[in-house]
């Protein structure tokens, strides 16, 4: 369990993290969402004691990270894949971590194999791709077989296989009852794996709920319409419908169903080339929560 | 894990950190080449013209002046090792693995200082052996060797602690090296040449002057003694460590 209470970090006149309070529970993948610069990384750095909070506390299993008897055996964290000495080999990097906790060298080989780097353990890190560095950082996080895992943007630099591997890894850890906090600015990626989400914007808490609750709060399904005359269709939509232009000849409509949109288009003589129902996305839910838009509708057309 | 066990394990990790990067091996190799090379040159010269040898000298005396090279090399090595984590971002995993910063500071300081000091003393001992192989009649008395190792141990240990402290305080390899050169070489030499009493006083109280006196027995001022030279070096090392340690303990782990 990770607990943040009133967590605040101020750099000069900037409040990078502002009075954050949330819990990350065991047995679930918790997505930590927000745009770049929202304060996700700073929050995670404060959780593991790299940065000192200006106010508030962050604890893991009820204790500050630095007070844990064997932190690597309780918490595994990947915070910055580039933060390694490039002149060291991947294996040496992990062995140093193992030395700090009396972990056997055989475990180093195990995690290297687990992340698919067994063949590259003897190479210097400067020769690793970003994806390989991500994998090495994940190997270090797994070294102590911890019950709490924090991953900051873990899919950065990974290829499709790597992304799928990370998804199954996170899911597997949560299913084993571990606490998993994974930050990302890629909401679609988090939607595929997260059970819960903590959403922040400008350092402040925007939402802390299950993914299903968040999607429900953002409204029901939307209707995707492709038409060469989107403006005409928008003008004839009923008042309770909300339209959003998502392309030159494409819009999404919320508040009425696909059958109603099709009937309306037929009634006003607007040709329709495509009509389908789309499930609500975490991205739309986030934008609805923060009052932002993906692609703003021209003034006077949005309802 | 008890603090003592954490310290021991952190120390082992620090040892690995030093010897798993090439720069440390380059420093160690360069030091050996320089000290052994000078040992060979000195020994060869002495063997070629024994009349130039000061009566009562031993092979240890021949290698004594290389202590200055060892000092510069090892201060630089200590500074490079201490700043490597900040230069590469390695401080992020380092503090995740050893989040008790006081323990990390103690382990890093002790291991780096002990490693570099021992390296310097071993190099100088090897250099004395090289001199002795050229001029065996000089002898290699154990008592003289122990005395030299004791004196140079203080100089090199203070220098290593200075390098670690400057490295932790500046978090920049370039800045730490510039400061080290200023305090050990440029400052003492330059200030002693200026025609003011106060610059001579400042020069006398710089660590480079202390090292010079302890190695060669003479410094910029006649007022210097072995005790004052040792105190000067120790005070600078302590000040650098307080500054560097304070920064590690009190501030965020930025690069």
């Amino acid at each position: 369990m990770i607990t943040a209470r009133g967590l605040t970090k101020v750099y000069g006149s900037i409040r990078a993290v502002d009075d954050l309070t949330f819990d990350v529970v065991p047995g679930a993948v918790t997505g930590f969402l927000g745009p770049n610069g929202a304060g996700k990384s700073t929050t995670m750095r404060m959780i593991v004691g790299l940065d000192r909070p200006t106010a508030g506390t962050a604890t893991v299993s009820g204790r500050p990270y630095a007070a844990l008897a064997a932190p690597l055996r309780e918490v595994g964290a990947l915070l910055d894949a580039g933060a390694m000495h490039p002149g060291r080999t991947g294996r040496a990097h992990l062995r140093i971590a193992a030395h700090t906790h009396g972990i056997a060298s055989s475990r180093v080989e195990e995690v290297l194999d687990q992340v698919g780097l067994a063949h590259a353990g003897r190479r210097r890190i400067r020769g690793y791709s970003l994806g390989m560095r991500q994998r090495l950082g994940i190997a270090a996080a797994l070294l102590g077989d911890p019950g709490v895992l924090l991953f900051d943007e873990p899919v950065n630099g990974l290829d499709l296989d790597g992304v799928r591997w990370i998804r199954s890894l996170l899911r597997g850890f949560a299913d084993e009852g571990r606490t998993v906090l994974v930050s990302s600015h890629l909401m679609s990626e988090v939607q595929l794996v997260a059970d819960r989400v903590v959403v922040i914007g400008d350092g402040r808490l925007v939402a802390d709920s299950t993914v299903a609750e968040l999607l429900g709060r953002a409204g029901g399904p939307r209707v995707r319409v492709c038409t060469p005359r989107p403006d005409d269709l928008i003008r004839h939509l009923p008042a309770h419908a909300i339209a959003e232009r998502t392309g030159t000849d494409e819009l999404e409509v919320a508040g009425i169903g696909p059958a109603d949109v099709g009937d309306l288009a037929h009634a006003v003589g607007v040709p329709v080339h495509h009509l389908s129902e789309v499930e609500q996305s975490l991205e739309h839910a986030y934008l609805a929560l923060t009052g932002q838009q993906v692609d703003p509708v021209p003034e006077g057309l949005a309802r | 894990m008890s603090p003592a066990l954490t310290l021991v394990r952190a120390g082992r990790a620090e040892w690995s950190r030093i010897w798993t990067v090439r720069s440390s091996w380059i420093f160690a190799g360069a030091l050996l080449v320089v000290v052994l090379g000078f040992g060979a040159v000195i020994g060869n010269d002495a063997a070629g013209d024994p009349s130039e040898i000061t009566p009562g000298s031993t092979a240890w005396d021949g290698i004594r002046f290389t202590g200055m090279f060892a000092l510069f090399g090892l201060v630089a090595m200590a500074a490079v090792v201490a700043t490597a984590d900040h230069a590469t971002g390695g401080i992020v995993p380092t503090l995740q693995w050893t989040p008790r910063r006081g323990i990390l500071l103690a382990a890093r300081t002790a291991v780096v200082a002990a490693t570099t000091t021992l390296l310097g003393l071993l190099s100088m001992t090897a250099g004395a052996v090289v001199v002795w192989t050229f001029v065996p009649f000089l002898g290699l008395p154990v008592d003289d060797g122990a005395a030299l190792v004791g004196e140079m141990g203080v100089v090199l240990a203070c220098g290593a602690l200075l390098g670690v402290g400057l490295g932790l305080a500046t978090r920049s390899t370039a800045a730490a090296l510039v400061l080290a050169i200023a305090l050990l070489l440029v400052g003492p030499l330059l200030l002693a040449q200026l025609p003011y009493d106060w610059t001579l006083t400042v020069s006398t109280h710089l660590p480079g002057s202390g090292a010079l006196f302890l190695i060669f027995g003479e410094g910029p001022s006649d007022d210097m003694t072995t005790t004052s030279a040792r105190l000067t070096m120790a005070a600078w090392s302590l000040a650098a460590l307080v500054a560097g340690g304070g920064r590690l303990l009190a501030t965020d782990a930025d690069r």
Side-chain angles (χ1 to χ4, degrees), chain A residues 9 45 49-52 65-66 68-69 71-72 77 79-80 82-86 88 93 96-97 99-102 124, chain B residues 1 9 12-13 16-17 20-22 84 88-90 92-93 95-101 249-255:
Chain A
K9 183 67 179 179
R45 285 172 61 93
L50 292 173
D51 290 355
R52 294 173 191 280
Y65 183 84
L68 297 173
L72 207 52
L79 297 186
D80 181 355
M84 302 166 183
H85 196 301
R88 206 166 267 136
H93 177 75
I96 290 170
H99 288 331
T100 60
H101 283 65
R124 293 189 188 278
Chain B
M1 235 177 359
R9 287 177 171 169
R12 190 177 174 202
S16 292
R17 274 196 183 90
T20 51
V21 291
R22 281 184 184 154
T88 62
V92 171
L95 283 175
Q96 282 174 232
W97 304 336
T98 311
R100 296 182 202 185
R101 299 185 184 201
L249 295 175
T251 62
D252 292 342
D254 52 351
R255 296 186 183 191

Side-chain angles (χ1 to χ4, degrees), chain A residues 5-284:
Chain A
R5 292 287 177 270
L7 205 55
T8 302
K9 183 67 179 179
V10 178
Y11 297 107
S13 60
I14 298 168
R15 292 181 84 81
V17 177
D18 191 0
D19 196 24
L20 268 188
T21 292
F22 62 87
D23 294 323
V24 182
V25 296
V29 176
T30 301
F32 195 27
L33 299 178
N36 288 331
K40 303 186 298 294
S41 296
T42 303
T43 301
M44 294 179 107
R45 285 172 61 93
M46 286 193 284
I47 291 170
V48 297
L50 292 173
D51 290 355
R52 294 173 191 280
T54 307
T57 58
T59 59
V60 181
S61 306
R63 283 170 295 166
Y65 183 84
L68 297 173
L72 207 52
R73 292 190 187 277
E74 297 189 52
V75 182
L78 166 68
L79 297 186
D80 181 355
M84 302 166 183
H85 196 301
R88 206 166 267 136
T89 66
R91 182 174 281 111
H93 177 75
L94 294 178
R95 281 193 174 161
I96 290 170
H99 288 331
T100 60
H101 283 65
I103 295 170
S105 295
S106 57
R107 176 64 183 157
V108 169
E109 302 308 319
E110 271 178 39
V111 292
L112 273 173
D113 191 45
Q114 189 177 354
V115 302
L117 285 180
H119 66 288
R122 295 183 67 179
R123 280 167 55 188
R124 293 189 188 278
I125 294 170
R126 71 164 53 89
Y128 282 18
S129 65
L130 177 58
M132 292 169 80
R133 289 180 192 216
Q134 288 282 60
R135 286 172 183 267
L136 184 62
I138 292 166
L142 302 181
L143 195 61
D145 196 20
V148 177
L149 289 146
L150 291 89
F151 292 140
D152 191 9
E153 305 277 1
V155 299
N156 276 1
L158 293 181
D159 55 18
L160 185 58
D161 282 345
V163 171
R164 290 164 64 93
W165 170 72
I166 277 282
R167 271 186 221 142
S168 65
L169 194 73
L170 297 175
R171 186 72 266 153
F173 286 143
D175 292 346
E176 290 170 5
R178 303 189 208 219
T179 304
V180 182
L181 179 65
V182 54
S183 85
S184 180
H185 64 283
L186 301 173
M187 312 237 173
S188 55
E189 187 54 45
V190 171
Q191 190 172 356
L192 289 172
V193 72
D195 305 296
R196 297 184 58 83
V197 284
V198 172
V199 184
I200 64 172
D202 290 332
R204 287 188 291 274
L205 187 70
V206 174
D208 177 6
S209 68
T210 65
V211 172
E213 284 169 357
L214 192 64
L215 294 177
R217 258 194 273 166
R222 300 161 70 92
V223 178
R224 179 167 170 252
V225 189
C226 291
T227 169
R229 290 162 52 196
D231 294 348
D232 289 342
L233 183 60
I234 289 171
R235 276 194 202 93
H236 289 92
L237 286 172
H240 65 275
I242 299 169
E244 183 185 354
R245 286 282 288 272
T246 53
T248 311
D249 295 335
E250 185 180 310
L251 65 149
E252 285 191 9
V253 183
I256 59 173
D260 293 333
V261 175
D263 290 347
L264 179 68
H266 177 71
V268 300
V270 172
V272 170
H273 298 162
H274 175 92
L275 185 68
S276 63
E277 190 174 76
V278 288
E279 287 300 317
Q280 187 63 271
S281 71
L282 207 50
E283 184 175 294
H284 276 110

